Amino acid sequence: MMANQPIFILPEGTERYSKRDALRMNITAAKVLKDIVRTTLGPKGMDKMLTDSLGDVIVTNDGATIMREMDITQPAARMLVETAKKQEDIVGDGTTSVVVIAGELLVKAQELLEDGIATSVIVKGYRNAAAKSIEILNNVAMDADDRETLKKVAMTAMTGKGSDYAKDKLADLVVDAALRIAEDGEIDIDNINIQRISGDSVEDSFLAEGIVMDKDPVSKNMPTDVEDAKIALIKYPIELKEINTDAKIDITDPAQFEAFLNNEEEMIKDLVDKVVASGANVLFCQKGIDDMAQHYLNKVGIMAYKRVKKSDMERINKATGAQYVTDIEDLTADKLGSAGHVYVDKIFDHKLTFIEECENPKASSIVLRGSTRYVTEQISRALDDALGVVAATIEDGKVLIGGGACEIDLVKGLRAYGESVSGREQLAILAYANAVEVIPRTLIENAGLDTINLIAELKAAHEDSSKIGINVFTGKLVDMEEAGVIEPLRIKTQAIKAASEAAEMILRIDDMIAARNALNSSGPDESGNDASGMPPMGGMPGGMGGMPPMM
């Protein structure tokens, strides 16, 4: 009797998918995500329109933004999204390439699995191919040690991202901002803020001499123009602490009430006196400044700001040398920063504060103009990418030829390497080479050109020169170095590492165990597909919530 009883080791409602079923589900999810972002790759890539639950619209072809805004629930697809986010954090660009390569690696792996190649063999082959790819890329990389190369890198990163008509000027702003804050070959691009202002043309964008904040003083009666500024940065509130809600104050006559108010006023005045005693004439406070404190600060002519963002506080610290003060008792003259000029200016309908004439500033600001909010948002994302790649180039000093040229070098090198390896592992290495070829193929497809012929011509051209790539605007093969299409070495090496690791991780999964509906929060649509457009594979849920069906 007992032998015929089922044994349950998982909670009721738990769903489990094993071996090929689990792998097929994950690879299909990765392929769907790859197909969504693939059409955005390159100068001729298309845009995506995304709307959130509040109705806000984002139009972009930036892979990181697309994946960040989509409500993706399928676990394997989420792993690819996290991989793309890590690529953005490390380099600032190449997020679409990571997902496209990883998705293609998984598609090629599925073909090998169907041919009877073991997962362990595929994983080993992919791992060796990734290591060889890094070696090949390092061998073909060129030195980048001049400003002109940095500008070309920035322009390449911005091409096709809505800023083409002004990318020459924007690239100059990016390179100047990066070089201004470079320190011992290192750059923290968080110290460069992009201040977006709708109105006028992108051509009216400019690099500020120092820091720009989207704030004005707490009181309109305060000074709006201070020269030879002594700047205090405090995290201490210039206001009285709230009385505990359980406290009780007994006041029996008006004199006691007046004394209580006078005592509060003296406490506030004492806080302001400490600021005055330090010699500060400009105050940035991360906390609040109450009305009475504003009155006293105004009387002594101090330009004060309250509830300043932490990121702005950090940039002011880098630009002026002002030290953070967490206790107002510690505010002394030696903790102050300096700037030759702090003033408020109005650009279009925005009041901005400029902190300029700083000695050896390590922070900077780009004021980005645009006709509408959507334009400035899109170009701001392009500038973020450009700043990331310029910083990577300055730090590493190495670049690669773009336009699909370095990928063709990879394909050649990997195929030669694969031919030297015996056994079934060779098939995995050759599959890896075919997967890498997806980048130039996608560039050509998105430009509406003849993929088969151009890829064949590109491979033939690389027998003589490794600098030949595809000009997607003319449909011709050209010398990409002369055309100025250059990318940082770090983008490609990080993309190869990240895509390979993500593909390997997904390939090694042979079991998926999840609570009911955990893999598919949206359910099937009218056509029977789930929210990602993937057909239900033998009743197996999966998908990416919030994504429309793929037609």
Side-chain angles (χ1 to χ4, degrees):
M1 293 291 290
M2 291 295 294
N4 295 326
Q5 295 296 319
I7 298 174
F8 297 97
I9 64 171
L10 297 174
E12 184 179 356
T14 299
E15 295 171 301
R16 180 186 178 192
Y17 308 98
S18 301
K19 305 193 185 219
R20 291 299 174 90
D21 286 342
L23 189 56
R24 186 154 51 96
M25 179 192 298
N26 288 336
I27 291 177
T28 303
K31 185 178 182 298
V32 169
L33 184 59
K34 179 203 73 171
D35 291 340
I36 289 173
V37 299
R38 182 180 177 185
T39 58
T40 69
L41 187 68
K44 290 283 190 175
M46 303 298 288
D47 292 345
K48 305 292 182 184
M49 178 180 285
L50 303 105
T51 58
D52 61 18
S53 58
L54 300 177
D56 289 338
V57 177
I58 296 177
V59 178
T60 181
N61 65 0
D62 180 69
T65 303
I66 293 168
M67 287 179 279
R68 185 168 54 245
E69 294 298 326
M70 290 193 302
D71 182 19
I72 295 176
T73 59
Q74 209 283 340
R78 285 172 61 185
M79 288 169 63
L80 291 186
V81 171
E82 290 302 317
T83 301
K85 287 180 180 177
K86 183 57 65 176
Q87 173 82 10
E88 183 181 34
D89 292 341
I90 294 175
V91 190
D93 198 10
T95 52
T96 302
S97 297
V98 168
V99 174
V100 170
I101 294 173
E104 194 68 13
L105 286 172
L106 290 169
V107 170
K108 298 299 182 186
Q110 188 172 30
E111 294 173 1
L112 293 176
L113 289 168
E114 290 171 353
D115 289 338
I117 309 298
T119 302
S120 59
V121 174
I122 299 172
V123 168
K124 184 180 179 182
Y126 275 12
R127 192 177 299 166
N128 291 339
K132 187 64 176 180
S133 297
I134 302 302
E135 180 186 324
I136 294 170
L137 290 174
N138 280 299
N139 288 337
V140 301
M142 305 181 302
D143 291 332
D145 52 7
D146 59 76
R147 187 185 185 284
E148 190 60 30
T149 301
L150 294 177
K151 183 176 178 180
K152 290 177 181 178
V153 167
M155 292 176 70
T156 300
M158 289 189 287
T159 300
K161 296 180 179 177
S163 59
D164 289 24
Y165 58 97
K167 67 180 181 181
D168 188 77
K169 176 171 183 176
L170 293 175
D172 280 325
L173 298 182
V174 166
V175 173
D176 289 343
L179 290 175
R180 181 178 294 178
I181 69 166
E183 190 171 13
D184 298 327
E186 299 289 331
I187 294 180
D188 183 357
I189 60 173
D190 288 337
N191 291 328
I192 302 174
N193 74 311
I194 300 172
Q195 190 64 57
R196 302 193 300 262
I197 299 179
S198 301
D200 282 335
S201 166
V202 176
E203 293 286 349
D204 295 316
S205 304
F206 63 92
L207 176 64
E209 291 297 321
I211 300 298
V212 179
M213 284 199 320
D214 188 14
K215 289 183 81 71
D216 53 349
V218 292
S219 170
K220 63 181 180 180
N221 297 319
M222 283 181 174
T224 56
D225 194 315
V226 176
E227 295 187 354
D228 190 22
K230 302 300 179 185
I231 298 170
L233 290 182
I234 66 173
K235 297 183 179 180
Y236 192 90
I238 312 296
E239 57 189 3
L240 294 178
K241 296 180 180 178
E242 293 185 4
I243 298 174
N244 190 297
T245 53
D246 294 332
K248 182 179 180 181
I249 301 175
D250 290 323
I251 296 177
T252 57
D253 61 67
Q256 288 180 326
F257 184 67
E258 183 177 356
F260 177 75
L261 293 178
N262 289 339
N263 185 51
E264 280 194 334
E265 185 174 346
E266 285 300 319
M267 293 172 68
I268 290 291
K269 190 172 185 305
D270 184 56
L271 293 175
V272 173
D273 286 343
K274 287 181 171 61
V275 176
V276 174
S278 71
N281 53 14
V282 179
L283 170 66
F284 294 98
C285 182
Q286 197 170 340
K287 305 293 184 179
I289 301 177
D290 72 12
D291 293 343
M292 192 179 298
Q294 292 176 29
H295 167 72
Y296 284 118
L297 289 167
N298 184 46
K299 283 182 65 175
V300 295
I302 292 179
M303 189 180 188
Y305 296 78
K306 68 178 180 179
R307 307 205 183 283
V308 179
K309 292 186 294 186
K310 181 181 179 182
S311 57
D312 284 334
M313 296 281 282
E314 291 173 349
R315 293 188 189 104
I316 295 169
N317 163 256
K318 293 286 187 181
T320 68
Q323 299 180 35
Y324 290 112
V325 175
T326 56
D327 188 337
I328 201 164
E329 298 290 342
D330 298 331
L331 183 61
T332 54
D334 61 325
K335 303 287 178 65
L336 303 181
S338 60
H341 197 192
V342 178
Y343 63 96
V344 177
D345 195 8
K346 189 173 183 179
I347 299 180
F348 200 57
D349 59 350
H350 283 68
K351 280 189 176 181
L352 303 174
T353 295
F354 291 78
I355 306 170
E356 297 183 342
E357 299 176 23
C358 305
E359 184 178 350
N360 193 28
K362 295 305 174 187
S364 190
S365 297
I366 296 174
V367 178
L368 176 63
R369 308 298 303 276
S371 56
T372 67
R373 175 172 65 88
Y374 299 114
V375 170
T376 55
E377 284 179 353
Q378 186 174 27
I379 297 178
S380 176
R381 287 189 285 269
L383 286 182
D384 282 336
D385 291 348
L387 284 169
V389 298
V390 168
T393 305
I394 291 174
E395 291 174 356
D396 298 343
K398 294 287 185 179
V399 293
L400 293 167
I401 303 299
C406 67
E407 284 83 6
I408 294 298
D409 283 337
L410 270 183
V411 172
K412 283 179 57 182
L414 286 173
R415 284 181 177 161
Y417 171 61
E419 295 295 339
S420 68
V421 176
S422 60
R424 294 190 170 191
E425 186 184 326
Q426 179 189 89
L427 299 176
I429 295 171
L430 295 178
Y432 193 104
N434 291 334
V436 171
E437 197 176 289
V438 72
I439 297 298
R441 285 185 180 276
T442 301
L443 293 175
I444 296 170
E445 288 175 12
N446 288 348
L449 303 173
D450 185 343
T451 306
I452 296 175
N453 288 335
L454 272 178
I455 285 291
E457 291 176 17
L458 190 56
K459 290 177 180 178
H462 270 247
E463 296 297 328
D464 299 321
S465 173
S466 62
K467 297 181 180 180
I468 302 300
I470 310 136
N471 185 327
V472 296
F473 299 101
T474 63
K476 305 294 183 182
L477 301 185
V478 299
D479 186 314
M480 288 286 111
E481 185 178 18
E482 292 181 2
V485 182
I486 298 173
E487 300 175 278
L489 172 64
R490 192 190 298 178
I491 280 187
K492 297 299 183 183
T493 55
Q494 179 60 32
I496 289 294
K497 290 176 185 176
S500 301
E501 290 172 0
E504 178 183 336
M505 188 177 299
I506 291 173
L507 285 173
R508 292 176 66 88
I509 296 170
D510 73 342
D511 235 329
M512 293 181 66
I513 302 170
R516 184 177 297 278
N517 297 325
L519 300 181
N520 182 14
S521 60
S522 301
D525 58 24
E526 294 178 358
S527 64
N529 290 345
D530 64 25
S532 68
M534 296 189 295
M537 296 172 285
M540 294 181 299
M544 291 169 268
M547 291 165 49
M550 300 293 294
M551 301 302 292

